[in-house]
Amino acid sequence: PPPLPRPSAMLTSRGPALCTVLRRAPSGSLASFHSSARRCRAARVAVVLSGCGVYDGTEIHEASAVLVHLSRGGAEVQMYAPDVPQMHVIDHSKGQPAEAESRNVLVESARIARGKITSLAKLTTADHDAVIFPGGFGAAKNLSTFAVDGKDCKVNREVERVLKDFHKAGKPIGLCCISPVLAAKVLSGAEVTVGHEEEEGGKWPYAGTAGAIKELGAKHCVKDVTISFPAHVDTKNKVVTTPAFMCETALHHIFDGIGAMVKNVLKLTGK
């Protein structure tokens, strides 16, 4: 058989530019040269919590699902919560207020974050590529007054700042369950979903929220939680929403719907 060409001849045949780069590369650096094109920085995602527990804070299953899907998507995550008192404390075994108790949203959220949490006042768009808000009544009680005031609600000052800053920066915002009301209030003309607009025999017990979203000036888009794509993507505003526990359904459907939301948030970051 004919002899193999010498390495120098092979380099030359690839062009003088590549030849020069490889010859000048310091010893041990060729592996990094060949792998550099495959590297891309992970998306940095902020997750904003509102306490710990569905009736007075963050819905724990939703927060966990968000974190699992972000982990699977290779994202770098930092959790935040406002350093404010909860609206009230609910005894989750009875579903009733615990009148003598008071709790702090940041302190309670630290339970979900395993202690690794930062005050929402320190969240900036410069440090993150996207922000996600899990649901739970805390979004309507601690991040806003929606649970009490409906369409006339006020949004926590830091929550409003974060939503407006990410929107202005063109960075995606993900919300699930009841938390889309925050975007509906703050981002004029946003498109969101909280599921269906009729209760349908109790399957959608919070369907009235869709009407309030319309009154806030946002567009409500009907979505399910058991179909192949149970999330709505507002491409203009880069807002991604999914119904989650607005629907009475199996937990794995909730988990998959949140996965669709997270996947599209990460896709919109371009990372």
Side-chain angles (χ1 to χ4, degrees):
L4 293 173
R6 290 177 299 163
S8 59
M10 293 176 66
L11 291 177
T12 304
S13 69
R14 295 293 187 269
L18 178 59
C19 182
T20 300
V21 170
L22 292 179
R23 282 174 175 166
R24 289 179 178 175
S27 177
S29 68
L30 293 186
S32 62
F33 175 85
H34 287 295
S35 64
S36 61
R38 296 194 299 269
R39 287 192 192 133
C40 62
R41 185 173 57 78
R44 301 168 299 174
V45 181
V47 175
V48 180
L49 304 178
S50 60
C52 182
V54 56
Y55 297 124
D56 58 10
T58 299
E59 211 298 319
I60 298 171
H61 293 295
E62 291 180 5
S64 180
V66 166
L67 296 173
V68 168
H69 286 295
L70 284 173
S71 176
R72 182 168 289 146
E76 296 177 2
V77 177
Q78 174 63 49
M79 282 172 271
Y80 295 85
D83 189 1
V84 296
Q86 290 186 184
M87 176 185 141
H88 60 187
V89 177
I90 297 293
D91 180 340
H92 281 63
S93 68
K94 300 176 181 177
Q96 299 175 350
E99 301 292 351
E101 290 191 47
S102 63
R103 299 184 185 181
N104 177 279
V105 175
L106 179 64
V107 173
E108 291 302 295
S109 297
R111 295 176 180 271
I112 296 174
R114 297 172 62 86
K116 297 178 181 179
I117 197 160
T118 304
S119 171
L120 187 60
K122 297 182 179 179
L123 173 53
T124 68
T125 56
D127 295 329
H128 300 283
D129 301 303
V131 62
I132 293 180
F133 292 78
F137 281 94
K141 293 179 177 180
N142 303 327
L143 304 188
S144 72
T145 64
F146 182 80
V148 176
D149 301 322
K151 67 180 181 62
D152 298 317
C153 67
K154 295 180 180 179
V155 175
N156 172 276
R157 181 179 60 185
E158 293 297 340
V159 172
E160 182 174 3
R161 175 188 63 80
V162 167
L163 288 169
K164 288 182 175 179
D165 285 354
F166 274 80
H167 182 256
K168 183 178 180 180
K171 295 186 175 183
I173 300 165
L175 311 103
C176 63
C177 196
I178 191 69
S179 65
V181 300
L182 302 173
K185 176 68 177 181
V186 173
L187 305 179
S188 179
E191 297 178 2
V192 301
T193 187
V194 289
H196 285 206
E197 299 178 356
E198 302 292 336
E199 291 191 18
E200 299 177 19
K203 182 178 180 181
W204 297 90
Y206 311 107
T209 305
I213 283 174
K214 294 176 183 177
E215 290 182 306
L216 287 169
K219 179 180 178 180
H220 183 259
C221 302
V222 174
K223 284 285 182 178
D224 213 324
V225 290
T226 57
I227 57 177
S228 59
F229 188 67
H232 180 73
V233 181
D234 177 351
T235 54
K236 178 181 177 181
N237 294 294
K238 291 190 177 181
V239 173
V240 187
T241 50
T242 191
F245 277 108
M246 298 297 279
C247 180
E248 291 289 339
T249 188
L251 180 59
H252 68 279
H253 293 312
I254 307 297
F255 185 88
D256 291 345
I258 291 173
M261 180 266 286
V262 170
K263 181 178 181 180
N264 279 275
V265 167
L266 294 177
K267 182 178 179 180
L268 287 172
T269 67
K271 302 297 181 184

